[in-house]
Each structure stands twice: as structure tokens, then as C-alpha cells.
Amino acid sequence: QVQLVESGGGLVQAGGSLRLSCAASGSIFSINAMGWYRQTPGKQRELVTAITRRGVANYADSVKGRFTIFRDDVKNMVYLEMNSLKPEDTAVYLCNVAVAGRVYWGQGTQVTVSS
């Protein structure tokens, strides 16, 4: 079993920056893909970004050039650097991690961008 805990969310003004962290713990031999999704009330979860075990990342068009994902395999952590934040980025951000053929989700961290 793998547990994920996100942190770093909060309230920020438009144009500001935040860094989200996701810590994985439990029965981990190695982590394959890691990623971030976001969700607003009444809407489907949206893939924000994902990164392979080799460090290849992809991004949703809405965040390209503003968000960066990176991972630390020694600490079993993944991060999301968010810059030039917009009110449209307001959402609960959730970490997900693939381990041994299974996908795990964190509880999420709230990001609110004020205008």
C-alpha cells in the first residue's frame, strides 16, 4: 500500500507563484509515472501534468509555459512549480503515483487564486 500526502496549497493573488509537494510512503520499490490533476466542484478531474520515471514530462495546454513538474526519486516526492497563476487555476490539486502496476491518489490540496 502507498500513501500520498500533498502540501503547499493556499491563497495567492493572480500573477503569483506556488510550489506544491507530494510525498509518497509505504510499500515502494520504485515509482513509475507521477503526475498532478486538478478538480473544481462539479467538473471532471483534469490532467495538469505527468512525468515518467525517465523524467519526460507532458503538460495540459492551459498550463504550458507556466507550470513545471519535477521528481525526486531518492525522497519519493514529486513537485509542481506554478508561476503566473490565474484565477482559472483555482482548484483542488491531486497527486497521483503509479507503483507496481497500481495507481494511488492523494487527498488533494486547495489552490485559490484571487483577482
Side-chain angles (χ1 to χ4, degrees):
Q1 189 69 27
V2 175
Q3 298 81 41
L4 305 178
V5 179
E6 301 101 331
S7 62
L11 176 64
V12 64
Q13 292 188 72
S17 299
L18 285 173
R19 177 175 290 185
L20 307 184
S21 301
C22 174
S25 62
S27 183
I28 300 172
F29 178 73
S30 66
I31 299 176
N32 290 320
M34 311 176 76
W36 291 92
Y37 286 70
R38 64 187 181 188
Q39 187 170 41
T40 57
K43 296 183 179 180
Q44 186 175 329
R45 284 182 180 177
E46 173 191 18
L47 174 65
V48 177
T49 178
I51 186 168
T52 72
R53 67 177 183 271
R54 299 297 186 186
V56 179
N58 68 296
Y59 298 90
D61 288 341
S62 59
V63 306
K64 285 181 179 177
R66 300 189 297 119
F67 291 12
T68 303
I69 186 173
F70 57 101
R71 60 189 289 169
D72 184 335
D73 290 325
V74 174
K75 298 174 65 175
N76 288 329
M77 296 189 70
V78 62
Y79 306 87
L80 181 64
E81 178 72 30
M82 304 184 293
N83 298 311
S84 301
L85 282 162
K86 306 174 181 179
E88 306 92 271
D89 296 318
T90 296
V92 173
Y93 284 73
L94 303 104
C95 174
N96 82 311
V97 172
V99 177
R102 295 182 180 271
V103 178
Y104 299 89
W105 292 89
Q107 294 293 323
T109 184
Q110 176 71 46
V111 172
T112 302
V113 184
S114 65
S115 59

